[in-house]
Amino acid sequence: MAIWSPYIAGVLIGILVCFSFLLSDRPIGCSTAFVKTRGLIEKVLRGDRIHDIEYYREIPPRIDWQFMIVPGIIIGAFLSSVLSGTFRFEFVPPLWASTFGDTPVLRLIVALAGGIFLGIGSRWAGGCTSGHGISGTLQLSISSIVSATFFFVGGIATAMVLVHVVG
Amino acid sequence: MTLTGLIRNDHAQTLLGLLFGIIFGFLLQKGGVTYYDVIMGQLLLTDFTVVKVMGSAVATGMIGFHLLRHFGLVRRHVRAGSTGSNVIGGLIFGLGFGLLGYCPGTVAGAVGQGSLDALFGGVIGLIIGAGIFANIYPALSRSILNKGEFRHQVLPDILKVNEWYVVVPVTALIVIVLVVIESMGL
């Protein structure tokens, strides 16, 4: 089946997070991987001088568990979509095309801007939808519940303005 | 190999990170939440797939995690939060979330299914954004990130009760919300 019941996918994700705590002693989170990727790129370009940057001393740029989660997700989603025959290259998602037309350039500019804010915001809040939204919330972490609430408050407001006011 | 031995084995952990990622990405894609239309549908409150996936993941994981913790098999990983970090950061995240239509995990899943806006927009943007944050971090950590620190780390500490008195009602509440969403045909 191309798409499973969201409840089955959700329950299995919940079990997966439990195994991550059990076997790796850590929550499942994704945003740290982008800091490590950025740090690894800078390491290639600037060498050991990146150790002067305080944030890379806290989150060392290296290939480890927190880095590998993202290539893993890409592979997993690739396998899922290929196995169900839904893999296909697409620049402009249908909902975007129906609001703003199918010009890839406009979609890419807005996606890039969104990605930049997402990168800043996820590190500012110390986690993302998986780290705070799922792994943190299920531990009843207050910082995670607050973060996840404001991810959606900000996200809903932005999407409403983008689609209903601008679009 | 004991659990502690496995957790301390860096090479095994790097492989486990990849393995957890593969399963996570597979499930995100199967759950439908790697699609821009599904995530934007949630933010526009017309499609509740994201809430269904997250709600059932949190409810299941909450019971599982606290059972494992009861038997001393897992530790909590929570950080003290603050208004400056979690509210402001959350809102900046939300701005990016609404513009991009993916989050840091689902953007990777979208790349895997062939979504090129996720690769050339989302992933590149996230790497740029992470670099910007790394550069402003020293100034932020001395100022806004610690503003309005929360006094407690977890909900049971605020309520000063045994954690199961929170876990059970919260799980029940999530199930009720999901049943209501389903009964409304959302």
Side-chain angles (χ1 to χ4, degrees), chain A residues 1-7 9-16 18-28 30-31 34-35 37-38 41-42 53-56 58 63-65 68-81 83-84 86-91 93-96 107-108 110-130 132-134 136-147 150-156 158-160 162-164, chain B residues 3 6-7 13-14 16-18 20-32 35-37 40 42-45 49-50 52-54 56-58 60-62 64-66 68 73-81 84-100 102-105 107-109 111-117 120-138 140-141 144-145 150 152-156 158 166-167 170 178 182:
Chain A
M1 258 192 300
I3 298 290
W4 294 353
S5 152
Y7 301 111
V11 166
L12 292 175
I13 289 170
I15 295 171
L16 185 71
C18 290
F19 272 101
S20 174
F21 278 110
L22 184 67
L23 302 179
S24 297
D25 190 29
R26 58 170 77 251
I28 289 187
C30 302
S31 61
F34 293 97
V35 180
T37 307
R38 171 64 182 231
I41 294 170
E42 283 189 50
I53 298 172
E54 190 182 337
Y55 201 54
Y56 296 134
E58 290 191 21
I63 309 286
D64 55 10
W65 195 105
M68 290 308 279
I69 191 93
V70 163
I73 293 172
I74 296 175
I75 295 168
F78 175 75
L79 290 174
S80 166
S81 60
L83 290 174
S84 55
T86 52
F87 178 89
R88 67 193 183 91
F89 288 115
E90 179 185 84
F91 254 114
L95 179 67
W96 176 278
R107 170 60 190 145
L108 279 185
V110 175
L112 188 68
I116 293 171
F117 284 118
L118 204 57
I120 298 171
S122 59
R123 296 326 306 162
W124 196 304
C128 64
T129 332
S130 27
H132 273 317
I134 297 176
T137 301
L138 68 82
Q139 299 179 74
L140 298 168
S141 152
I142 292 161
S143 62
S144 296
I145 295 168
V146 171
S147 298
F150 284 93
F151 293 167
F152 281 94
V153 167
I156 289 168
T158 306
M160 292 283 184
L162 182 70
V163 173
H164 297 308
Chain B
L3 269 184
L6 177 67
I7 288 164
Q13 287 303 324
T14 304
L16 268 180
L18 180 68
F20 277 114
I22 291 173
I23 301 171
F24 191 38
F26 190 90
L27 293 173
L28 289 173
Q29 214 279 332
K30 283 285 174 236
Y35 288 98
Y36 173 87
D37 288 25
M40 284 303 277
Q42 181 63 69
L43 298 179
L44 295 169
L45 307 178
T49 307
V50 174
K52 292 174 189 177
V53 171
M54 287 184 73
S56 36
V58 169
T60 309
M62 194 178 293
F65 172 82
H66 287 92
L68 291 169
L73 292 167
V74 297
R75 294 187 301 170
R76 253 191 204 135
H77 288 269
V78 296
R79 264 170 296 178
S85 165
N86 304 110
V87 175
I88 309 287
L91 288 172
I92 298 170
F93 181 108
L95 176 60
F97 196 18
L99 289 175
L100 177 59
Y102 307 104
C103 56
V107 79
V111 169
Q113 74 194 6
S115 304
L116 297 170
D117 58 333
F120 295 113
V123 170
I124 303 288
L126 269 157
I127 293 170
I128 296 172
I132 294 173
F133 185 81
N135 281 301
I136 58 175
Y137 176 71
L140 288 177
S141 68
I144 196 158
L145 291 181
F150 304 146
H152 302 282
Q153 290 199 350
V154 290
L155 275 187
I158 296 186
V166 184
V167 170
V170 171
L178 294 177
E182 207 57 48

